[in-house]
Amino acid sequence: MIADSLAREITQRITRGDLRPGQRLPETRLARQLDCSRNSLREAFRFLVNDGLVTHIPNRGVFVRTLTAEAISEIYTYRRIVECAAVAESDLDSIDFSHLDTIITEARRAAEHDDWHVVGSLNAQVHLEFVALAGVDRLVEDIRPVIAQARIAFLSLAQRNIHEPFISQNAEIIDLLREKRRDDAVVALRKLLDIAQQHVLDRLDS
C-alpha cells in the first residue's frame, strides 16, 4: 500500500532526526521528494496522525508533533511494558548478537564524529531489536511509532550529545543477554527507560 510505505518513510525521517518537532511538512514539496501523489501523501498523513507523530492544524498544514510532559510519560510507560515483556519472553539461544554488536559499534563510531542524529537513530534501532526478540512481528510494528515519538522528545532538546550515555547502557543490556542473565537484562532495560524519561522531562521543564 503506497500510503503505508510513505508513512513508514516519514517515520524513518523523524527517527533519523531529519524532521524536527514542530516542523511543517509542506505537502507539495514532500510529494515531489517522495515521488508520490498529494492524495497518497494525505493518506499517509492520516496514518501518521493516528500514530501520534504529526499534527494536522486546519488551514495551516501538517506539523511534526511537539510532545507535552504528559505525553512523554505515557510513551515511556508503554515502552517499559512492551520492551521489558519482549526481553523477558526472548529466546536467548536465537539472538543474533553480531547484529546487535554492529549497531553498538556504529553508534560509538558516530559519537566519535559528533554525529548525534545518527547515534539517536541507532539507539532507537537497538530498542526495536529488543522488541523483536519476542519473535512477534506485530509488536515491532506497534512500537515503531512509539519509539519514533520518543525520538521527537529527544530531538526537542538542545544538548547535542544527549544520546551518548545510552550507548553503553544498551551495550550492557546486550552483554547481560549474551551471558543469559535475562532477569538482569530486564532490570537494566527498565532502569534505562526510567533514566531516559526523567532525562527528557527534566530538560523539558528547564
Side-chain angles (χ1 to χ4, degrees), residues 10-11 13-15 17-26 30 45 48-49 52-57 61-67 148-149 151-153 155-156:
I10 295 170
T11 298
R13 292 187 181 199
I14 291 172
T15 304
D18 297 339
L19 300 173
R20 310 282 297 179
Q23 181 176 339
R24 184 173 179 273
L25 304 180
L30 195 55
F45 283 159
L48 293 168
V49 168
L53 293 173
V54 304
T55 303
H56 176 251
I57 302 176
V62 176
F63 299 81
V64 178
R65 184 181 176 191
T66 300
L67 297 167
Q149 288 178 39
R151 283 286 289 133
I152 291 174
L155 288 167
S156 66

Side-chain angles (χ1 to χ4, degrees), residues 156-172:
S156 66
L157 306 178
Q159 292 88 345
R160 295 171 57 247
N161 62 343
I162 197 169
H163 297 287
E164 187 168 22
F166 297 108
I167 301 174
S168 59
Q169 291 176 45
N170 283 329
E172 177 190 355

Side-chain angles (χ1 to χ4, degrees), residues 93-185:
D93 293 325
S94 66
I95 298 176
D96 182 359
F97 287 106
S98 63
H99 176 57
L100 289 168
D101 291 340
T102 296
I103 298 173
I104 296 297
T105 298
E106 290 176 356
R108 286 173 171 152
R109 185 179 300 117
E112 290 173 358
H113 291 86
D114 289 337
D115 197 341
W116 301 109
H117 285 329
V118 171
V119 174
S121 180
L122 289 167
N123 282 348
Q125 185 179 342
V126 169
H127 287 264
L128 285 172
E129 296 295 335
F130 287 159
V131 175
L133 296 179
V136 181
D137 292 342
R138 176 64 182 271
L139 278 180
V140 178
E141 291 308 308
D142 286 349
I143 203 170
R144 191 183 302 276
V146 180
I147 289 179
Q149 288 178 39
R151 283 286 289 133
I152 291 174
F154 270 91
L155 288 167
S156 66
L157 306 178
Q159 292 88 345
R160 295 171 57 247
N161 62 343
I162 197 169
H163 297 287
E164 187 168 22
F166 297 108
I167 301 174
S168 59
Q169 291 176 45
N170 283 329
E172 177 190 355
I173 294 167
I174 293 168
D175 286 340
L176 290 169
L177 291 170
R178 196 189 325 266
E179 297 166 5
K180 300 189 184 301
R181 295 166 58 189
R182 188 203 316 272
D183 291 345
D184 291 336

